[in-house]
Coordinates of all heavy atoms in Angstrom, one line a residue:
M482 N 3.9 -19.6 -5.0 CA 4.7 -18.5 -4.7 C 3.8 -17.2 -4.6 O 3.1 -16.9 -5.6 CB 5.8 -18.3 -5.8 CG 6.7 -17.2 -5.5 SD 8.1 -17.0 -6.8 CE 9.1 -18.4 -6.3
N483 N 3.9 -16.5 -3.5 CA 3.1 -15.2 -3.5 C 3.9 -14.1 -4.1 O 5.0 -14.2 -4.5 CB 2.7 -14.9 -2.0 CG 3.8 -14.6 -1.1 OD1 4.7 -13.8 -1.5 ND2 3.8 -15.0 0.1
Y484 N 3.2 -12.9 -4.2 CA 3.8 -11.8 -4.9 C 5.1 -11.3 -4.2 O 6.0 -10.8 -4.8 CB 2.8 -10.7 -5.1 CG 2.5 -9.8 -4.0 CD1 3.1 -8.5 -3.8 CD2 1.6 -10.2 -3.0 CE1 2.8 -7.7 -2.8 CE2 1.3 -9.4 -1.9 CZ 1.9 -8.1 -1.8 OH 1.6 -7.3 -0.7
I485 N 5.1 -11.3 -2.9 CA 6.3 -10.9 -2.2 C 7.5 -11.8 -2.5 O 8.6 -11.3 -2.7 CB 6.1 -10.8 -0.6 CG1 5.0 -9.7 -0.3 CG2 7.4 -10.5 0.1 CD1 4.6 -9.6 1.1
D486 N 7.2 -13.1 -2.6 CA 8.3 -14.0 -2.9 C 8.8 -13.7 -4.3 O 10.0 -13.8 -4.6 CB 7.8 -15.5 -2.9 CG 7.5 -15.9 -1.4 OD1 8.2 -15.3 -0.5 OD2 6.7 -16.8 -1.3
R487 N 7.9 -13.4 -5.3 CA 8.3 -13.0 -6.6 C 9.1 -11.8 -6.6 O 10.1 -11.7 -7.4 CB 7.0 -12.8 -7.5 CG 6.2 -14.0 -7.8 CD 6.7 -14.6 -9.1 NE 6.1 -15.9 -9.2 CZ 5.3 -16.3 -10.2 NH1 4.9 -15.4 -11.1 NH2 4.8 -17.5 -10.3
I488 N 8.8 -10.8 -5.9 CA 9.5 -9.5 -5.8 C 10.9 -9.8 -5.3 O 11.9 -9.3 -5.8 CB 8.7 -8.5 -5.0 CG1 7.5 -8.0 -5.8 CG2 9.6 -7.3 -4.7 CD1 6.5 -7.2 -5.1
I489 N 11.0 -10.6 -4.2 CA 12.3 -10.9 -3.6 C 13.2 -11.7 -4.6 O 14.3 -11.4 -4.8 CB 12.1 -11.7 -2.3 CG1 11.5 -10.8 -1.2 CG2 13.5 -12.3 -1.9 CD1 11.1 -11.6 0.0
A490 N 12.5 -12.7 -5.3 CA 13.3 -13.5 -6.3 C 13.8 -12.6 -7.5 O 14.9 -12.8 -7.9 CB 12.4 -14.6 -6.9
L491 N 13.0 -11.6 -7.9 CA 13.4 -10.7 -9.0 C 14.6 -9.9 -8.5 O 15.6 -9.8 -9.3 CB 12.3 -9.8 -9.4 CG 11.2 -10.4 -10.3 CD1 10.0 -9.5 -10.4 CD2 11.8 -10.6 -11.7
R492 N 14.6 -9.4 -7.3 CA 15.7 -8.6 -6.8 C 16.9 -9.5 -6.7 O 18.0 -9.1 -7.2 CB 15.3 -8.1 -5.4 CG 16.5 -7.3 -4.8 CD 16.1 -6.6 -3.5 NE 15.7 -7.6 -2.5 CZ 16.5 -8.4 -1.8 NH1 17.8 -8.4 -2.0 NH2 16.0 -9.2 -0.8
E493 N 16.8 -10.7 -6.1 CA 18.0 -11.6 -6.0 C 18.5 -12.1 -7.3 O 19.7 -12.1 -7.5 CB 17.6 -12.7 -5.1 CG 17.4 -12.3 -3.6 CD 16.9 -13.4 -2.7 OE1 16.5 -14.5 -3.2 OE2 16.9 -13.2 -1.5
D494 N 17.6 -12.4 -8.3 CA 18.0 -12.8 -9.6 C 18.8 -11.7 -10.3 O 19.6 -12.0 -11.2 CB 16.8 -13.3 -10.4 CG 16.2 -14.6 -9.9 OD1 16.8 -15.2 -9.1 OD2 15.1 -14.9 -10.4
N495 N 18.5 -10.5 -10.0 CA 19.2 -9.4 -10.6 C 20.4 -8.9 -9.8 O 21.0 -7.8 -10.0 CB 18.2 -8.2 -10.9 CG 17.3 -8.6 -12.1 OD1 17.8 -8.4 -13.2 ND2 16.2 -9.0 -11.8
D496 N 20.8 -9.6 -8.7 CA 21.9 -9.3 -7.9 C 21.8 -7.9 -7.3 O 22.8 -7.2 -7.2 CB 23.2 -9.5 -8.6 CG 23.5 -10.9 -9.0 OD1 23.1 -11.8 -8.2 OD2 24.0 -11.2 -10.1
L497 N 20.6 -7.6 -6.8 CA 20.4 -6.2 -6.2 C 20.2 -6.3 -4.7 O 19.7 -7.4 -4.2 CB 19.1 -5.6 -6.9 CG 19.2 -5.3 -8.4 CD1 17.9 -4.9 -8.9 CD2 20.3 -4.2 -8.7
K498 N 20.5 -5.3 -4.0 CA 20.3 -5.2 -2.6 C 19.0 -4.5 -2.3 O 18.5 -3.7 -3.2 CB 21.5 -4.5 -1.9 CG 22.8 -5.1 -2.2 CD 23.0 -6.3 -1.4 CE 24.4 -6.9 -1.5 NZ 24.5 -8.2 -1.2
Q499 N 18.5 -4.6 -1.2 CA 17.2 -3.9 -0.8 C 17.4 -2.4 -0.9 O 16.5 -1.7 -1.3 CB 16.8 -4.2 0.7 CG 16.2 -5.6 0.8 CD 15.8 -5.8 2.2 OE1 16.1 -5.1 3.2 NE2 14.9 -6.9 2.4
K500 N 18.6 -1.9 -0.6 CA 18.9 -0.5 -0.7 C 18.7 0.0 -2.1 O 18.2 1.1 -2.3 CB 20.3 -0.2 -0.2 CG 20.7 1.2 -0.1 CD 22.0 1.4 0.5 CE 22.3 2.9 0.7 NZ 23.6 3.1 1.4
S501 N 19.0 -0.7 -3.1 CA 18.8 -0.3 -4.5 C 17.4 -0.2 -4.8 O 16.9 0.8 -5.5 CB 19.5 -1.3 -5.5 OG 20.8 -1.5 -5.2
L502 N 16.5 -1.1 -4.4 CA 15.1 -1.1 -4.7 C 14.5 0.0 -3.8 O 13.5 0.6 -4.3 CB 14.4 -2.4 -4.4 CG 14.5 -3.4 -5.6 CD1 13.6 -2.9 -6.7 CD2 15.8 -3.7 -6.1
A503 N 15.0 0.2 -2.7 CA 14.5 1.3 -1.8 C 14.6 2.7 -2.6 O 13.7 3.5 -2.5 CB 15.2 1.4 -0.5
K504 N 15.7 2.9 -3.3 CA 15.9 4.1 -4.0 C 14.9 4.2 -5.2 O 14.3 5.2 -5.4 CB 17.3 4.2 -4.6 CG 18.3 4.5 -3.6 CD 19.7 4.6 -4.2 CE 20.8 4.8 -3.1 NZ 22.1 4.9 -3.7
V505 N 14.6 3.0 -5.8 CA 13.6 3.0 -6.9 C 12.3 3.4 -6.4 O 11.5 4.2 -7.1 CB 13.6 1.6 -7.6 CG1 12.4 1.5 -8.5 CG2 14.9 1.3 -8.3
L506 N 11.9 3.0 -5.2 CA 10.6 3.3 -4.7 C 10.6 4.5 -3.8 O 9.6 4.8 -3.1 CB 10.1 2.1 -3.9 CG 9.9 0.8 -4.7 CD1 9.3 -0.3 -3.8 CD2 8.9 1.0 -5.9
R507 N 11.7 5.2 -3.7 CA 11.9 6.4 -2.9 C 11.5 6.1 -1.4 O 10.7 6.8 -0.8 CB 11.0 7.5 -3.4 CG 11.5 8.0 -4.8 CD 10.8 9.2 -5.3 NE 11.3 9.6 -6.5 CZ 10.6 9.5 -7.7 NH1 9.5 8.9 -7.7 NH2 11.2 9.9 -8.8
K508 N 12.2 5.1 -0.9 CA 12.0 4.7 0.5 C 13.3 4.5 1.2 O 14.4 4.4 0.5 CB 11.2 3.3 0.6 CG 9.8 3.4 0.1 CD 9.1 2.1 0.5 CE 7.6 2.2 0.2 NZ 6.9 3.2 1.1
S509 N 13.3 4.4 2.5 CA 14.6 4.0 3.2 C 14.8 2.5 3.0 O 13.8 1.8 2.6 CB 14.5 4.4 4.7 OG 13.5 3.6 5.3
Q510 N 16.0 2.0 3.3 CA 16.2 0.6 3.2 C 15.3 -0.1 4.2 O 14.7 -1.2 3.9 CB 17.7 0.3 3.5 CG 18.1 -1.2 3.3 CD 17.7 -2.1 4.5 OE1 17.8 -1.6 5.6 NE2 17.3 -3.3 4.2
Q511 N 15.1 0.5 5.4 CA 14.2 -0.2 6.4 C 12.8 -0.2 5.9 O 12.1 -1.2 6.1 CB 14.3 0.6 7.7 CG 13.5 0.0 8.8 CD 13.9 -1.4 9.2 OE1 15.1 -1.7 9.3 NE2 13.0 -2.3 9.4
G512 N 12.4 0.9 5.2 CA 11.0 1.0 4.7 C 10.8 -0.1 3.6 O 9.8 -0.8 3.6
Y513 N 11.8 -0.3 2.8 CA 11.7 -1.4 1.8 C 11.7 -2.8 2.5 O 11.0 -3.6 2.1 CB 12.8 -1.3 0.8 CG 12.6 -2.3 -0.3 CD1 11.7 -2.1 -1.4 CD2 13.3 -3.5 -0.3 CE1 11.5 -3.0 -2.3 CE2 13.1 -4.5 -1.3 CZ 12.2 -4.2 -2.3 OH 12.0 -5.2 -3.2
S514 N 12.6 -2.9 3.4 CA 12.6 -4.2 4.2 C 11.2 -4.5 4.8 O 10.8 -5.7 4.7 CB 13.7 -4.1 5.3 OG 13.6 -5.3 6.1
N515 N 10.5 -3.5 5.3 CA 9.2 -3.8 5.8 C 8.2 -4.3 4.8 O 7.3 -5.0 5.1 CB 8.7 -2.5 6.4 CG 9.3 -2.1 7.8 OD1 9.9 -3.0 8.4 ND2 9.3 -0.9 8.1
L516 N 8.4 -3.8 3.5 CA 7.6 -4.3 2.4 C 7.9 -5.8 2.1 O 7.0 -6.6 2.0 CB 7.8 -3.5 1.1 CG 7.3 -2.1 1.1 CD1 7.9 -1.3 0.0 CD2 5.8 -2.0 1.1
E517 N 9.2 -6.2 2.1 CA 9.5 -7.5 1.8 C 9.2 -8.5 2.9 O 9.0 -9.7 2.6 CB 11.0 -7.6 1.4 CG 11.4 -7.2 0.0 CD 12.8 -7.7 -0.4 OE1 13.5 -8.3 0.4 OE2 13.1 -7.4 -1.6
T518 N 9.2 -8.0 4.1 CA 8.8 -8.9 5.2 C 7.3 -9.0 5.4 O 6.8 -9.8 6.2 CB 9.5 -8.5 6.5 OG1 9.1 -7.2 6.8 CG2 11.0 -8.6 6.4
G519 N 6.5 -8.2 4.7 CA 5.1 -8.2 4.8 C 4.6 -7.3 6.0 O 3.3 -7.3 6.2
R520 N 5.4 -6.6 6.7 CA 4.9 -5.7 7.7 C 4.1 -4.6 7.2 O 3.2 -4.1 7.8 CB 6.1 -5.2 8.5 CG 6.7 -6.2 9.4 CD 7.8 -5.6 10.4 NE 8.8 -6.6 10.6 CZ 10.1 -6.5 10.2 NH1 10.5 -5.4 9.7 NH2 10.9 -7.5 10.4
V521 N 4.4 -4.2 6.0 CA 3.7 -3.1 5.2 C 3.4 -3.7 3.9 O 4.2 -4.4 3.3 CB 4.6 -1.9 5.1 CG1 3.9 -0.8 4.3 CG2 5.0 -1.3 6.5
K522 N 2.2 -3.4 3.4 CA 1.8 -3.8 2.0 C 2.3 -2.9 0.9 O 2.4 -1.7 1.1 CB 0.2 -3.9 2.0 CG -0.4 -4.7 3.0 CD -0.3 -6.2 2.6 CE -1.1 -7.0 3.6 NZ -0.8 -8.4 3.5
F523 N 2.7 -3.5 -0.2 CA 3.0 -2.8 -1.4 C 1.8 -2.1 -1.9 O 0.7 -2.7 -1.9 CB 3.5 -3.7 -2.5 CG 5.0 -4.2 -2.3 CD1 5.2 -5.3 -1.6 CD2 6.0 -3.5 -2.9 CE1 6.5 -5.8 -1.5 CE2 7.3 -3.9 -2.7 CZ 7.6 -5.1 -2.0
T524 N 1.9 -0.8 -2.3 CA 0.8 -0.1 -3.0 C 0.8 -0.5 -4.4 O 1.7 -1.1 -5.0 CB 1.0 1.4 -2.9 OG1 2.1 1.8 -3.6 CG2 1.1 1.9 -1.4
V525 N -0.4 -0.2 -5.1 CA -0.5 -0.5 -6.5 C 0.6 0.3 -7.3 O 1.2 -0.2 -8.2 CB -1.9 -0.1 -7.0 CG1 -2.0 -0.2 -8.5 CG2 -2.9 -1.0 -6.4
E526 N 0.8 1.5 -6.9 CA 1.8 2.4 -7.5 C 3.2 1.7 -7.4 O 4.0 1.8 -8.3 CB 1.8 3.8 -6.9 CG 0.6 4.6 -7.3 CD -0.6 4.3 -6.4 OE1 -0.5 3.6 -5.4 OE2 -1.7 4.7 -6.8
E527 N 3.5 1.2 -6.2 CA 4.8 0.5 -6.1 C 5.0 -0.7 -6.9 O 6.0 -1.0 -7.5 CB 5.1 0.2 -4.6 CG 5.3 1.4 -3.7 CD 5.1 1.2 -2.3 OE1 4.6 0.1 -1.8 OE2 5.6 2.0 -1.5
I528 N 3.9 -1.5 -7.1 CA 3.9 -2.7 -7.9 C 4.2 -2.2 -9.4 O 5.0 -2.8 -10.1 CB 2.6 -3.5 -7.8 CG1 2.4 -4.0 -6.4 CG2 2.5 -4.6 -8.9 CD1 3.3 -5.1 -6.0
I529 N 3.5 -1.1 -9.8 CA 3.7 -0.6 -11.2 C 5.1 -0.2 -11.4 O 5.7 -0.5 -12.4 CB 2.7 0.5 -11.4 CG1 1.3 0.0 -11.5 CG2 3.1 1.3 -12.7 CD1 0.2 1.1 -11.5
Q530 N 5.7 0.5 -10.4 CA 7.1 0.9 -10.5 C 8.0 -0.3 -10.6 O 9.0 -0.3 -11.4 CB 7.5 1.7 -9.3 CG 7.0 3.2 -9.3 CD 7.4 3.9 -8.0 OE1 7.0 3.6 -6.9 NE2 8.3 4.8 -8.2
L531 N 7.8 -1.3 -9.9 CA 8.6 -2.5 -9.9 C 8.4 -3.2 -11.3 O 9.4 -3.7 -11.8 CB 8.3 -3.5 -8.8 CG 8.7 -3.0 -7.4 CD1 8.2 -4.0 -6.3 CD2 10.2 -2.8 -7.3
C532 N 7.2 -3.3 -11.8 CA 7.0 -3.8 -13.2 C 7.8 -3.1 -14.2 O 8.5 -3.7 -15.0 CB 5.5 -3.8 -13.5 SG 4.5 -4.9 -12.6
K533 N 7.8 -1.8 -14.1 CA 8.6 -1.0 -15.1 C 10.1 -1.2 -14.9 O 10.8 -1.3 -15.8 CB 8.2 0.5 -14.9 CG 6.8 0.8 -15.4 CD 6.5 2.3 -15.2 CE 5.1 2.6 -15.7 NZ 4.7 4.0 -15.4
F534 N 10.5 -1.2 -13.6 CA 11.9 -1.4 -13.3 C 12.5 -2.7 -13.8 O 13.5 -2.8 -14.4 CB 12.2 -1.3 -11.8 CG 13.6 -1.4 -11.4 CD1 14.5 -0.4 -11.5 CD2 14.0 -2.6 -10.9 CE1 15.8 -0.5 -11.2 CE2 15.4 -2.8 -10.5 CZ 16.3 -1.8 -10.6
Y535 N 11.7 -3.8 -13.6 CA 12.2 -5.1 -14.0 C 11.7 -5.5 -15.4 O 12.1 -6.5 -15.9 CB 11.6 -6.2 -13.0 CG 12.3 -6.2 -11.7 CD1 11.5 -5.9 -10.5 CD2 13.6 -6.4 -11.5 CE1 12.1 -5.9 -9.3 CE2 14.2 -6.4 -10.3 CZ 13.5 -6.2 -9.1 OH 14.1 -6.2 -7.9
N536 N 10.9 -4.6 -16.0 CA 10.3 -4.9 -17.3 C 9.6 -6.2 -17.4 O 9.8 -7.0 -18.3 CB 11.4 -4.8 -18.4 CG 10.8 -4.7 -19.8 OD1 9.7 -4.1 -20.0 ND2 11.5 -5.3 -20.8
V537 N 8.7 -6.4 -16.4 CA 7.9 -7.6 -16.4 C 6.4 -7.2 -16.2 O 6.1 -6.1 -15.6 CB 8.3 -8.6 -15.3 CG1 9.7 -9.1 -15.5 CG2 8.2 -8.0 -13.9
S538 N 5.5 -8.1 -16.5 CA 4.1 -7.8 -16.4 C 3.7 -7.9 -14.9 O 4.3 -8.7 -14.1 CB 3.2 -8.8 -17.2 OG 3.3 -10.1 -16.6
A539 N 2.6 -7.2 -14.6 CA 2.0 -7.3 -13.2 C 1.5 -8.7 -13.0 O 1.5 -9.2 -11.9 CB 1.0 -6.3 -13.0
D540 N 1.0 -9.4 -14.1 CA 0.5 -10.7 -14.0 C 1.6 -11.7 -13.4 O 1.3 -12.5 -12.6 CB 0.0 -11.3 -15.3 CG -1.3 -10.7 -15.7 OD1 -2.0 -10.1 -14.9 OD2 -1.7 -10.9 -16.9
Y541 N 2.8 -11.5 -13.9 CA 3.9 -12.3 -13.3 C 4.2 -12.0 -11.9 O 4.2 -12.9 -11.0 CB 5.2 -12.1 -14.2 CG 6.3 -12.9 -13.6 CD1 6.4 -14.2 -13.7 CD2 7.3 -12.2 -12.8 CE1 7.4 -15.0 -13.1 CE2 8.3 -13.0 -12.2 CZ 8.4 -14.3 -12.4 OH 9.4 -15.1 -11.8
I542 N 4.4 -10.7 -11.5 CA 4.7 -10.3 -10.2 C 3.5 -10.8 -9.2 O 3.8 -11.3 -8.1 CB 4.9 -8.8 -10.0 CG1 6.3 -8.5 -10.6 CG2 4.8 -8.4 -8.5 CD1 6.7 -7.0 -10.5
L543 N 2.3 -10.6 -9.6 CA 1.2 -11.0 -8.8 C 0.9 -12.5 -8.8 O 0.0 -12.9 -8.0 CB -0.1 -10.2 -9.2 CG 0.1 -8.7 -9.0 CD1 -1.1 -8.0 -9.6 CD2 0.3 -8.3 -7.6
G544 N 1.6 -13.3 -9.6 CA 1.4 -14.7 -9.5 C 0.3 -15.3 -10.4 O -0.1 -16.4 -10.3
F545 N -0.3 -14.5 -11.3 CA -1.3 -15.0 -12.2 C -0.8 -15.9 -13.3 O -1.5 -16.6 -13.9 CB -2.1 -13.8 -12.8 CG -3.0 -13.1 -11.8 CD1 -2.7 -11.8 -11.5 CD2 -4.0 -13.8 -11.1 CE1 -3.5 -11.1 -10.5 CE2 -4.8 -13.1 -10.2 CZ -4.5 -11.8 -9.9
T546 N 0.5 -15.7 -13.6 CA 1.2 -16.5 -14.6 C 2.7 -16.8 -14.1 O 3.2 -16.0 -13.3 CB 1.2 -15.8 -15.9 OG1 1.8 -16.7 -16.9 CG2 2.0 -14.5 -15.9
D547 N 3.2 -17.9 -14.5 CA 4.6 -18.1 -14.3 C 5.5 -17.7 -15.4 O 6.7 -17.8 -15.3 CB 4.8 -19.6 -14.0 CG 4.2 -20.0 -12.6 OD1 4.1 -19.2 -11.7 OD2 3.8 -21.2 -12.5
K548 N 4.9 -17.3 -16.5 CA 5.7 -16.8 -17.7 C 6.0 -15.4 -17.5 O 5.2 -14.5 -17.3 CB 4.8 -17.0 -18.9 CG 5.5 -16.7 -20.2 CD 4.6 -16.8 -21.4 CE 5.4 -16.4 -22.7 NZ 4.5 -16.3 -23.8
I549 N 7.3 -15.1 -17.6 CA 7.8 -13.7 -17.6 C 7.5 -13.1 -18.9 O 8.1 -13.5 -19.9 CB 9.3 -13.6 -17.2 CG1 9.5 -14.2 -15.8 CG2 9.8 -12.2 -17.3 CD1 10.9 -14.2 -15.4
T550 N 6.7 -12.1 -18.9 CA 6.3 -11.3 -20.1 C 6.8 -9.9 -20.0 O 6.5 -9.2 -19.0 CB 4.8 -11.3 -20.4 OG1 4.3 -12.7 -20.4 CG2 4.4 -10.6 -21.7
E551 N 7.6 -9.5 -21.0 CA 8.1 -8.1 -20.9 C 7.0 -7.2 -21.2 O 6.0 -7.5 -21.9 CB 9.3 -7.9 -22.0 CG 10.5 -8.7 -21.6 CD 11.7 -8.4 -22.5 OE1 11.5 -7.5 -23.5 OE2 12.7 -9.0 -22.4
L552 N 7.1 -6.0 -20.7 CA 6.2 -4.9 -21.0 C 6.3 -4.5 -22.5 O 7.4 -4.5 -23.0 CB 6.4 -3.7 -20.1 CG 6.2 -4.0 -18.6 CD1 6.6 -2.8 -17.8 CD2 4.8 -4.5 -18.3
P553 N 5.2 -4.0 -23.1 CA 5.3 -3.5 -24.4 C 6.1 -2.3 -24.5 O 6.1 -1.5 -23.6 CB 3.8 -3.3 -24.8 CG 3.1 -3.3 -23.6 CD 3.9 -4.0 -22.6
K554 N 6.8 -2.1 -25.6 CA 7.6 -0.9 -25.8 C 6.7 0.3 -26.0 O 5.7 0.2 -26.7 CB 8.5 -1.0 -27.0 CG 9.4 -2.2 -27.0 CD 10.7 -1.9 -26.4 CE 11.7 -3.0 -26.6 NZ 12.0 -3.7 -25.4
N555 N 7.0 1.5 -25.4 CA 6.3 2.7 -25.6 C 6.6 3.2 -27.0 O 7.7 3.2 -27.5 CB 6.7 3.7 -24.6 CG 6.1 3.4 -23.2 OD1 5.1 2.7 -23.1 ND2 6.8 3.9 -22.2
K556 N 5.5 3.7 -27.6 CA 5.7 4.3 -29.0 C 5.9 5.7 -28.9 O 5.5 6.4 -28.1 CB 4.5 3.9 -29.9 CG 4.5 2.4 -30.1 CD 3.4 2.1 -31.0 CE 3.3 0.6 -31.3 NZ 2.3 0.2 -32.2

C-alpha cells in the first residue's frame, strides 16, 4: 500500500469527505482531489498536518510500518 492509499484509507475509515480534508490543508476540494489522485504530490508540510489531524506517525502514513502509532502528547 502506498502513502496515498494510506491517506485515502484514513479518510474513509474516519467517515470523512475530501472536502473536510481540503479544509484541514487549506485547499479547495478539487485541489485535495488532485492530491489523492496523484496529479499533485503531497508536500512534507501537508503530510505533517495529516499526521497531526489523524494522530498517527509519519512512518505509518508513509508505509514504513503497518502499526498505527499515536503521536506523543505535547508537554
Side-chain angles (χ1 to χ4, degrees):
M482 179 179 285
N483 69 38
Y484 79 99
I485 294 173
D486 293 333
R487 290 270 169 115
I488 290 170
I489 293 169
L491 282 166
R492 179 177 58 76
E493 291 174 346
D494 290 347
N495 286 279
D496 296 322
L497 298 169
K498 303 287 186 199
Q499 285 184 345
K500 187 174 185 175
S501 300
L502 273 293
K504 287 181 183 179
V505 170
L506 298 181
R507 295 187 178 105
K508 294 192 169 293
S509 67
Q510 186 278 323
Q511 183 63 43
Y513 184 80
S514 176
N515 287 337
L516 291 167
E517 281 196 358
T518 59
R520 286 187 213 119
V521 177
K522 301 282 185 197
F523 282 90
T524 66
V525 172
E526 290 80 12
E527 290 166 341
I528 297 292
I529 291 169
Q530 283 181 289
L531 292 175
C532 289
K533 290 177 181 178
F534 179 78
Y535 289 119
N536 193 33
V537 298
S538 70
D540 284 348
Y541 176 75
I542 286 182
L543 298 175
F545 292 115
T546 183
D547 290 332
K548 182 181 177 190
I549 296 178
T550 305
E551 290 186 3
L552 298 175
K554 303 267 189 253
N555 289 334
K556 293 182 180 182

